[in-house]
């Protein structure tokens, strides 16, 4: 698919995402996955990640496939409400593309595992990163947690959403399939 067409498709969500963000600013209501705002094609940000076994890897590991990265924190109230939905979404859609929940400022992998156990999260993998590394890779942009970023197969940021996403909303699976196909 030519970049202009892909940009047009993803760009159509920009106005909806901005309007949705303004409408939910006071109540932190989740946004629809289909309302991710389009971004210019920036290159992959190579963030060191620690997995559940305390092994270090990086986002470059998923180069060549589309990736949905969800930055969250154990202390973030919207994240606590959202993670069980993401867990169910991952269980149903994890084969469509890589879906990486990345905990920021949440302690060691064992603390994240304890959070998962306490909140009934059974399907999501564990990844953690330093918030400073993520902010630096985003060009110094302040982080809004939760934050969801979509990377295409070349590792370019194609779309993102600040705030919680409605993972259980009608059409979320179709929106993910569309993002994967456009990558």
């Amino acid at each position: 698919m030519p970049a202009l067409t892909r940009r047009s498709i993803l760009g159509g969500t920009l106005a909806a995402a901005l309007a949705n963000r303004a409408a939910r600013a006071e109540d932190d209501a989740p946004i629809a996955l289909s309302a991710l705002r389009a971004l210019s094609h920036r290159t992959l940000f190579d963030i060191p990640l620690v997995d559940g076994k305390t092994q270090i890897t990086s986002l470059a590991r998923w180069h060549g496939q589309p990736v949905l990265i969800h930055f969250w924190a154990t202390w973030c109230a919207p994240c606590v409400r959202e993670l069980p939905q993401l867990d169910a979404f991952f269980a149903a859609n994890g084969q469509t593309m890589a879906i990486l929940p990345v905990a920021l400022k949440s302690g060691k992998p064992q603390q994240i595992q304890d959070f998962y156990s306490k909140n009934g999260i059974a399907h999501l993998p564990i990844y953690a990163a330093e918030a400073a590394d993520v902010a630096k890779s985003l060009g110094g942009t302040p982080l809004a947690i939760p934050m969801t970023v979509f990377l295409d197969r070349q590792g370019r940021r194609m779309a993102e959403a600040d705030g919680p996403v409605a993972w259980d909303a009608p059409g979320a699976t179709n929106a993910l399939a569309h993002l994967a196909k456009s990558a």
Side-chain angles (χ1 to χ4, degrees), residues 98-168:
I99 300 173
L100 308 177
V102 178
L104 304 175
K105 300 181 185 176
S106 294
K108 305 223 179 289
Q110 184 58 52
Q111 292 166 301
I112 298 165
Q113 180 60 54
D114 293 345
F115 174 89
Y116 278 14
S117 295
K118 178 182 174 186
N119 291 284
I121 297 167
H123 304 97
L124 291 175
I126 293 175
Y127 292 103
E130 293 295 326
D133 291 337
V134 174
K136 181 179 175 185
S137 69
L138 292 171
T141 304
L143 294 177
I145 298 173
M147 178 182 193
T148 303
V149 178
F150 172 71
L151 301 175
D152 70 5
R153 295 176 198 285
Q154 289 73 45
R156 298 176 296 202
R157 288 174 51 207
M158 298 294 294
E160 70 181 29
D162 296 331
V165 172
W167 300 105
D168 59 350

Side-chain angles (χ1 to χ4, degrees), residues 13 31-36 89 93 96 165-179:
T13 64
I31 64 169
L33 183 59
S34 60
L36 290 175
F89 185 81
N93 298 287
T96 303
V165 172
W167 300 105
D168 59 350
T173 297
N174 289 339
L176 183 71
H178 176 74
L179 285 170

